[in-house]
Every structure is written in C-alpha cells, then in structure tokens.
Amino acid sequence: GRDDGIGITIVEEVLDGGNAENCGIVPGDSIIALTLNSNANDDNTGNSNKMVVQEETTRISTECLAYDPTITALTSLPPPSSPTEEIIITVKRIRRQPTIQVKLQYPPAMEEPDATIELFAGENLRRALLTRGIKLNDPLAQRFDNGGVGDCGADGTCATCVIGVTKGMDLLSPMAQQEGQILKAKPKWRMACKAVVGHGMTEGEMTVQVSPRQWAN
C-alpha cells in the first residue's frame, strides 16, 4: 500500500484449523467486503401472535485499502450475536492472464527466420501481430466481396490476413459462419482478423504459417 492508505491487500496463507479453512478463500485472494446479516424479530401491530422478521445488514468495505486500514476495517465489524446471523465475505480473485506462445513460420521464398512471440488470451490475432510489427498482407489473396480492392480493414472479406495453423487450432475462437464458408476448402486456415487467441482463457503453444498460399503444397 501507499502512505495514504490506498493499495491492495492479498491473502498470503489460509491457516489450518482457522475460521477461514474450507470457506473457499485461497492465497492470492483480496477481501473487498464483509457483510453481517442478522434477523431481528419485531411486532409493530401489538399482536403477540404475529411476528415480523426484519433483516439488518452491516457492510464494511475493504477494497483498495492497504494492510493496516484493511485490518482496522475487518475488526470494526461487530461479531455475530445469535445463530441466525451470518457473515458474508466478498473476495476478488486475481488471476494470471493466460499466455499463448505463437511460433511464426514464413514462406521459404521470403527468407525470413522463424520467430516466436507471446500473446495474451483474449487478443485478436491480426491486431496482436500488427502491434508487434508483423504484417499480414498476402499478395496472392483474392477478395470475396464484390468490387473490393486491397485490405478490407478486418471485415473478413479480403483474406489477406489468412494464416495456416499447423498446431494449436483449438486455442483459437470458433469460426463464424462467413469465415467458415470462405475457408471451407482449407480447414487448417484461419482469418487472423476473426480469430481470438486463448479461447476460453486457455493457454498453450501454436505454430502459424504466414501467407499460406505461398507455401508449396
């Protein structure tokens, strides 16, 4: 945390036999709130045979607090005073962003060495490659729309960004109908502009052929 008390407090360990054991909290979680729910019996009608149950809630927020303010906030919550009361712990789980290792292979005629880059799950393949200085502009590509010329701008019609996938096809998002129709005869090809890597927040390794039309059959 910072000197002003703002920060993030992470659970370092869940002690065996402690109150938090088997409650679902794991090391790395951040507790962002504690809520105490209690049911109070009240009769506002004067009828002793009628009981009204009122729920009272006390909530303490610990999100974005450094360690000392977090402990102060947690200990300020009153403990349960009856079996009908419950404490609800709200946590945020910090998860490492899955990564995909992509091996790029260029057509022999380009005389470019293979290269390996690291992408994050959820990245659009074409955009990720362009931002890393890798251009996908196959001169042998033919547009599938009427009258179009050049790059379609990720509309999925020019097919200049088509890549061949020789390993890790399951790490890409499923084909939509248009892409499937265009590449029906090439089951190992994908349009990079329509493919998202790390589908389902998975990670792994891929091998991709750039400009697959230029590879010898």
Side-chain angles (χ1 to χ4, degrees), residues 54-198:
Q54 295 180 335
E55 184 175 282
E56 298 178 356
T57 299
T58 303
R59 188 176 191 273
I60 302 295
S61 176
T62 60
E63 188 168 14
C64 297
L65 295 182
Y67 178 79
D68 288 339
T70 296
I71 297 302
T72 299
L74 294 178
T75 56
S76 68
L77 189 71
S81 59
S82 72
T84 62
E85 294 181 336
E86 63 177 358
I87 294 180
I88 299 175
I89 303 175
T90 304
V91 303
K92 283 187 175 180
R93 184 154 295 167
I94 300 175
R95 179 180 179 183
R96 180 180 62 83
Q97 185 79 352
T99 59
I100 297 86
Q101 303 297 319
V102 182
K103 181 179 180 180
L104 299 170
Q105 297 179 327
Y106 295 90
M110 295 182 65
E111 298 182 349
E112 291 281 348
D114 295 348
T116 300
I117 61 173
E118 182 179 78
L119 305 183
F120 291 101
E123 287 193 83
N124 174 273
L125 182 55
R126 175 180 180 270
R127 190 178 304 116
L129 294 178
L130 289 177
T131 57
R132 290 163 175 81
I134 301 166
K135 296 182 179 180
L136 300 175
N137 189 16
D138 188 351
L140 301 182
Q142 296 180 348
R143 293 188 64 131
F144 291 85
D145 54 354
N146 293 325
V149 293
D151 192 328
C152 70
D155 284 339
T157 56
C158 72
T160 59
C161 68
V162 163
I163 47 93
V165 182
T166 59
K167 177 183 178 181
M169 180 70 82
D170 59 318
L171 294 173
L172 297 177
S173 56
M175 280 189 182
Q177 183 177 4
Q178 175 178 293
E179 183 186 6
Q181 291 176 344
I182 293 174
L183 301 180
K184 184 177 181 179
K186 300 290 185 179
K188 293 185 178 181
W189 288 13
R190 287 298 307 268
M191 290 187 179
C193 67
K194 298 301 178 184
V196 174
V197 299

